[in-house]
Amino acid sequence: MLLAIDVGNTNTVFSIWDGDRFIATWRASTEHQRTADQYYVWLSTLMKFQKIEADISDVIVSSTVPRVVFNLRVFADRYFNTRPLVVGRPDCLLPVDVRVDQGTAVGPDRLVNTVAGFDRHGGDLVVVDFGTATTFDVVDADGAYIGGVIAPGVNLSLQALHEAAAALPHVDVTKPDRVIGTNTVACMQSGVFWGYVGLVRGICERIRAEHGRPMRVIGTGGLAPLFQQGEALFDAFEADLTIHGLTVIHKYNKENKPS
């Protein structure tokens, strides 16, 4: 079985793929201090608690936090006797081209989202991922990653407001009943929610105009469903897009790497 690990700036997702479906998925906070042994104790405890018996033979990792990769490699080697496939490393093949400026390093999560989006929806896509940053990844007709946009994430924006303005509280993200707020919290929630609705809609419109062809918009990330409410920002929402992309990349490498 395959253990797919998606390391984000805030959270890390572990999913077990049996070849047909994900039999389990867990989420933990991303901490670069966590050791290989701690990963195993945490994961094996959850598997035992949920009575999941999985013979893990392969591991694939996508990480936006380089410092955690070493311990995850040790974790895979020590406890599953396998060398993990790490997206973004030269030995990890991608089933799509990457057409950006020479020397540009593209985040592994963006490459994985591109692969997953193309696998599920074909080309001419904009993949909008609501993570620590809000990213827009542009997928060409043939599935190639051709660039995108990076904007501050929703929670990051709220945190910045709270920390930079002494009188403003920390608030949760929610869809307000009205645009015009009648108290500080309502004003902040309206500004963030409707501000990001406008951000997504405006950037996607400009991408479509610049690309010169009709494009579908795919939403992913924890807050995507919230921003979809009544606004039809996305043509589709994919909660497991990144993890799915890891299974596609793993399969491609199995089929195309020399033995």
Side-chain angles (χ1 to χ4, degrees):
M1 293 187 186
L2 172 68
L3 175 61
I5 305 174
D6 172 32
V7 183
N9 288 294
T10 304
N11 293 313
T12 299
V13 177
F14 292 73
S15 290
I16 298 176
W17 173 256
D18 70 359
D20 296 311
R21 64 187 181 92
F22 291 109
I23 63 173
T25 296
W26 302 281
R27 185 180 299 268
S29 60
T30 299
E31 296 178 7
H32 70 270
Q33 304 98 329
R34 188 171 284 137
T35 66
D37 301 327
Q38 288 174 316
Y39 280 120
Y40 182 72
V41 169
W42 174 80
L43 184 64
S44 61
T45 300
L46 287 171
M47 291 174 65
K48 183 177 180 180
F49 178 76
Q50 295 184 223
K51 298 180 180 179
I52 293 173
E53 296 183 5
D55 182 14
I56 295 172
S57 58
D58 296 89
V59 177
I60 184 169
V61 177
S62 168
S63 177
T64 59
V65 185
R67 286 192 293 176
V68 307
V69 174
F70 174 78
N71 282 332
L72 286 173
R73 291 172 72 103
V74 175
F75 161 71
D77 179 65
R78 180 177 298 167
Y79 292 104
F80 304 115
N81 194 32
T82 184
R83 179 182 176 87
L85 194 62
V86 180
V87 179
R89 297 290 175 88
D91 62 339
C92 180
L93 305 177
L94 295 177
V96 300
D97 289 334
V98 179
R99 295 198 285 265
V100 295
D101 294 343
Q102 188 173 2
T104 299
V106 180
D109 57 328
R110 308 184 74 184
L111 298 176
V112 176
N113 283 348
T114 296
V115 170
F118 182 66
D119 182 69
R120 284 185 168 173
H121 300 280
D124 290 328
L125 301 177
V126 182
V127 180
V128 184
D129 189 348
F130 286 84
T132 304
T134 301
T135 58
F136 299 73
D137 300 317
V138 183
V139 184
D140 209 351
D142 63 351
Y145 175 84
I146 58 173
V149 177
I150 301 175
V154 177
N155 287 318
L156 195 62
S157 296
L158 283 170
Q159 182 181 342
L161 270 177
H162 171 60
E163 293 179 354
L168 296 181
H170 180 77
V171 300
D172 293 327
V173 185
T174 188
K175 181 182 179 181
D177 295 328
R178 304 173 66 241
V179 176
I180 301 173
T182 54
N183 57 67
T184 301
V185 170
C187 289
M188 292 176 67
Q189 289 175 333
S190 182
V192 170
F193 181 85
W194 295 112
Y196 271 86
V197 167
L199 174 80
V200 172
R201 182 172 289 135
I203 288 179
C204 288
E205 286 176 357
R206 289 181 177 272
I207 289 173
R208 285 190 180 105
E210 191 170 289
H211 194 60
R213 290 195 297 270
M215 304 183 77
R216 284 168 293 172
V217 179
I218 311 301
T220 191
L223 290 175
L226 170 66
F227 286 92
Q228 179 74 341
Q229 292 182 30
E231 292 306 309
L233 289 178
F234 315 122
D235 296 295
F237 167 69
E238 301 279 3
D240 64 343
L241 190 70
T242 308
I243 287 293
H244 172 70
L246 287 174
T247 68
V248 176
I249 293 172
H250 174 263
K251 181 180 178 181
Y252 182 78
N253 278 265
K254 281 288 189 180
E255 294 174 345
N256 291 276
K257 292 186 77 168
S259 56

